[in-house]
Amino acid sequence: MKSPYQLLSSAILDLENHPDVQAIMAFAKEVVDRFYNDLRTAAASGKTHTLPFLLMSFDKVSFGDPSDVHELHIEATTTGKVGKFLCFEDEVTSKAALEVFTREESEVRTFMMMTLVSLRQIEDEGPSHMAAVFLENAYDQLKGVLARSCSIREAA
């Protein structure tokens, strides 16, 4: 029997009607929604991040300085949770970060969800070549959209 993650990668399955797939996608959407709510709350504070980075584990997405998300990072690495993180080159305010993540929000959300689903597959089923390929593809697309958004912001 195929796992729900393998079903997600199948082009011939009606994904919207499969309960396992619906549950995985709902979970990923909820994690991304929490991230955006946290980002909007932080933007109101006007905080500046000197070494900003995005940290993703299968069940959490955080943005901030290493000191802000240190505990999450330690938990992810000591429990064996798989994760991805993306460093940004320059100091950035929370408001500017919100602009970057919302410039092409639909695409960013999609690639974040794809990355989260791949991370969760690896967490649940263990590493596999297929899962690693899907993870790297989704993560590369996320990086590309964020890089494009950063360059548009810098040009403005």
Side-chain angles (χ1 to χ4, degrees):
M1 183 172 153
K2 288 186 173 183
S3 76
Y5 304 101
Q6 292 167 330
L7 294 174
L8 274 169
S9 65
S10 173
I12 59 172
L13 180 70
D14 180 8
L15 295 178
E16 292 185 16
N17 293 322
H18 195 285
D20 289 339
V21 171
Q22 287 176 338
I24 292 167
M25 295 306 291
F27 178 79
K29 182 182 181 311
E30 179 184 318
V31 171
V32 172
D33 287 346
R34 275 195 318 254
F35 166 74
Y36 271 93
N37 288 337
D38 291 348
L39 200 58
R40 286 182 173 90
T41 301
S45 73
K47 183 174 180 171
T48 299
H49 302 285
T50 55
L51 181 64
F53 72 99
L54 176 73
L55 177 66
M56 301 179 76
S57 66
F58 80 95
D59 60 350
K60 177 102 172 129
V61 179
S62 299
F63 179 83
D65 290 312
S67 59
D68 295 336
V69 290
H70 182 263
E71 287 181 34
L72 177 63
H73 176 69
I74 294 299
E75 178 185 330
T77 57
T78 58
T79 62
K81 288 182 184 177
V82 290
K84 286 287 193 183
F85 71 95
L86 176 62
C87 294
F88 291 80
E89 290 182 0
D90 301 317
E91 180 177 279
V92 67
T93 65
S94 295
K95 184 177 179 184
L98 180 62
E99 289 175 20
V100 167
F101 282 94
T102 57
R103 183 170 311 278
E104 298 181 49
E105 186 171 341
S106 177
E107 286 186 63
V108 172
R109 282 178 174 271
T110 297
F111 297 132
M112 274 188 172
M113 288 176 62
M114 289 170 56
T115 302
L116 288 167
V117 167
S118 295
L119 288 168
R120 188 169 177 193
Q121 176 184 6
I122 293 168
E123 179 69 22
D124 287 352
E125 297 179 350
S128 72
H129 177 71
M130 180 186 79
V133 168
F134 283 125
L135 173 59
E136 290 308 314
N137 183 34
Y139 186 63
D140 286 345
Q141 291 185 61
L142 174 61
K143 289 189 300 186
V145 171
L146 290 174
R148 185 171 62 233
S149 185
C150 286
S151 65
I152 290 169
R153 186 177 185 288
E154 288 172 5

